[in-house]
Amino acid sequence: MNDSPGWATPGSPSDGQGSDGTQPPAPPADAPKWSASQPPPGQWSSPAAGPTPPPQQQGQGWGSYGQPGQQPGQQPGAPYGSPYGAPYGHPGGPGGWGGPPPAAKPGVIPLRPLGLGEILDGAVSTLRGHWKTVLSVSLVLAALVQLGLLTVQRLMMDNLVMTPDEAATPEEAMRLLGDTLTTAVFNYYIQLLGLLLVTGLLAGVVSRAVLGQSSTVAADLRAVRPLLPRLLALTAVLFLGALAAGVLPLLPGLLTGNAVLMVLGIPVALTLLAWYFVTFVLAPPALVLERGKVTDAFKRSAKLVKGSWWRIFGISALTWVITWITSLIIAVPFAVIAMIVSPGGFSGLLDGTSAQSWTFLIITAIGGLVSLTVTVPMQTGVTNLLYIDQRIRREALDLELARAAGLDDYDAATPQPGSGPVTGG
């Protein structure tokens, strides 16, 4: 039985079974099987197919004229007794060879299990169609993130600069390595903190984009305001867990000053961090859209990710690569401008003096602000759509979404194309 809260509907037509594990009763013979918006797929019989042919005749009703089992007046290639002609994906039918019939699409995604391209396209379409709300939220969070990065960079820069003719002792080299690692870790985690928070804040915007509804900043904030304490608590717990997964394996090397232990701890930290992030990445949208408790959101994320860990990891990693490349494209021009106008120019960049100037730091921070404002909505959109996709696959959420979108002719009694049982990735 489906025990999910919020959007979920009891039972899943994708299971092909009732809540007690038995096959559901067949619908009445005169019940409509197909909505007007979706043609019947060829692999299922049509409403007018009549009774199933006897065993000795099964498999003969799919031929062409002149083949055994062809019914009088039936179009070539049509299934047994079908008035629809050639089925979808078969010769002579719509769609050529293979491929499901088009699903209902009230908003940025079709209401069926999504492919990689559809998830990425849905995230971009959400950003394009709701850019005022999305960019307003991401801009505020990006500004806070960049302010924190700018402060830490300026405080740590004196320790990270060494002149070329300065001979560093092993202790100084370890200190420099530790300071550099500390700065990199801080940069990563403060961006992760902002990303997690924006994911929850924009979950409602993405859900409305899926339904084809408009959104405003005021409406989004009103919807999230009652959940804000829980969202902040969830973000803090996620942040602390990620911090522990990424930093604890490095502590032995950092505390003892042993470079070997530090190097050995890096792959362990990356593995733990990847497992933790993917397992609980769907917790922010689960909290906002199901309006449950913090602990429930963690459980829901782990449940939805189970069996699909590698798929979600691959899509998240690819999204990170795309956004990282986009960030570089945006930030490089600002870095070039900062290098030109900062004291010392290119030579100052080499010896580290330019990086210590406020001019350089502020211009590069502006570039980081622009890149984060653009790329964070892409990452959060993919995460929220992964949550919706997993619930469509596991819990037939497409039926609930169709009703919420006002698709009255969406047939909830018939399994929709592509919403069969899906396990694993």
Side-chain angles (χ1 to χ4, degrees):
M1 177 178 291
N2 190 346
D3 58 352
S4 59
W7 254 344
T9 51
S12 172
S14 65
D15 296 336
Q17 295 182 349
S19 60
D20 57 354
T22 61
Q23 294 291 333
D30 58 348
K33 266 189 165 297
W34 299 102
S35 66
S37 61
Q38 299 196 17
Q43 65 268 28
W44 293 326
S45 61
S46 64
T52 305
Q56 65 271 19
Q57 296 181 2
Q58 289 183 2
Q60 297 181 0
W62 295 84
S64 341
Y65 284 122
Q67 293 181 346
Q70 180 66 33
Q71 302 301 307
Q74 184 180 358
Q75 298 183 27
Y80 181 84
S82 171
Y84 293 107
Y88 190 96
H90 286 255
W97 288 93
K105 187 178 179 182
V108 295
I109 59 169
L111 300 185
R112 56 170 170 75
L114 305 175
L116 169 62
E118 291 168 328
I119 291 177
L120 296 176
D121 179 70
V124 174
S125 299
T126 302
L127 174 59
R128 185 172 58 244
H130 302 260
W131 63 270
K132 290 183 180 180
T133 304
V134 171
L135 294 183
S136 298
V137 174
S138 63
L139 177 62
V140 173
L141 269 297
L144 295 177
V145 168
Q146 281 301 316
L147 182 60
L149 291 177
L150 180 62
T151 304
V152 171
Q153 286 174 349
R154 186 62 187 88
L155 292 176
M156 298 292 295
M157 197 56 66
D158 293 338
N159 297 330
L160 299 179
V161 176
M162 293 185 65
T163 59
D165 57 347
E166 183 180 350
T169 63
E171 292 76 12
E172 290 174 338
M174 282 301 302
R175 178 184 57 80
L176 178 62
L177 178 61
D179 291 339
T180 303
L181 186 61
T182 301
T183 304
V185 168
F186 181 84
N187 289 351
Y188 169 78
Y189 277 104
I190 195 171
Q191 291 188 47
L192 177 64
L193 181 64
L195 179 65
L196 293 172
L197 189 57
V198 174
T199 300
L201 291 175
L202 294 182
V205 178
V206 176
S207 68
R208 282 188 286 273
V210 169
L211 300 176
Q213 300 173 356
S214 60
S215 61
T216 62
V217 177
D220 182 56
L221 293 179
R222 280 197 303 270
V224 176
R225 187 179 296 115
L227 301 170
L228 192 57
R230 278 175 279 175
L231 181 59
L232 292 175
L234 175 71
T235 303
V237 174
L238 283 172
F239 175 79
L240 293 176
L243 188 64
V247 174
L248 288 181
L250 303 177
L251 280 183
L254 292 174
L255 295 178
T256 61
N258 191 317
V260 176
L261 288 178
M262 188 179 299
V263 172
L264 292 177
I266 290 176
V268 178
L270 292 177
T271 301
L272 288 177
L273 190 59
W275 173 85
Y276 179 84
F277 179 79
V278 174
T279 302
F280 300 113
V281 69
L282 305 183
L287 175 73
V288 173
L289 297 179
E290 299 179 20
R291 311 181 83 81
K293 300 178 181 178
V294 173
T295 54
D296 294 335
F298 278 98
K299 294 176 183 178
R300 289 287 291 150
S301 180
K303 180 179 179 181
L304 292 172
V305 171
K306 184 178 181 181
S308 300
W309 192 96
W310 284 106
R311 175 176 179 270
I312 295 175
F313 169 78
I315 294 175
S316 300
L318 178 60
T319 304
W320 180 84
V321 171
I322 294 173
T323 54
W324 177 72
I325 294 174
T326 305
S327 297
L328 283 181
I329 295 174
I330 297 174
V332 164
F334 288 90
V336 172
I337 296 173
M339 182 183 63
I340 294 174
V341 302
S342 61
F346 184 72
S347 60
L349 183 65
L350 292 178
D351 60 21
T353 57
S354 294
Q356 292 179 288
S357 68
W358 280 106
T359 303
F360 183 87
L361 292 176
I362 291 175
I363 295 177
T364 54
I366 293 174
L369 174 65
V370 175
S371 63
L372 280 178
T373 303
V374 174
T375 57
V376 165
M378 177 70 179
Q379 292 177 288
T380 59
V382 168
T383 300
N384 283 299
L385 289 177
L386 278 172
Y387 165 82
I388 294 173
D389 174 58
Q390 286 301 110
R391 291 199 58 185
I392 289 176
R393 291 169 179 265
R394 302 289 178 84
E395 302 164 357
L397 181 64
D398 53 324
L399 304 179
E400 185 69 21
L401 292 175
R403 286 192 286 269
L407 301 179
D408 297 332
D409 58 347
Y410 194 90
D411 193 353
T414 304
Q416 298 301 314
S419 29
V422 177
T423 58

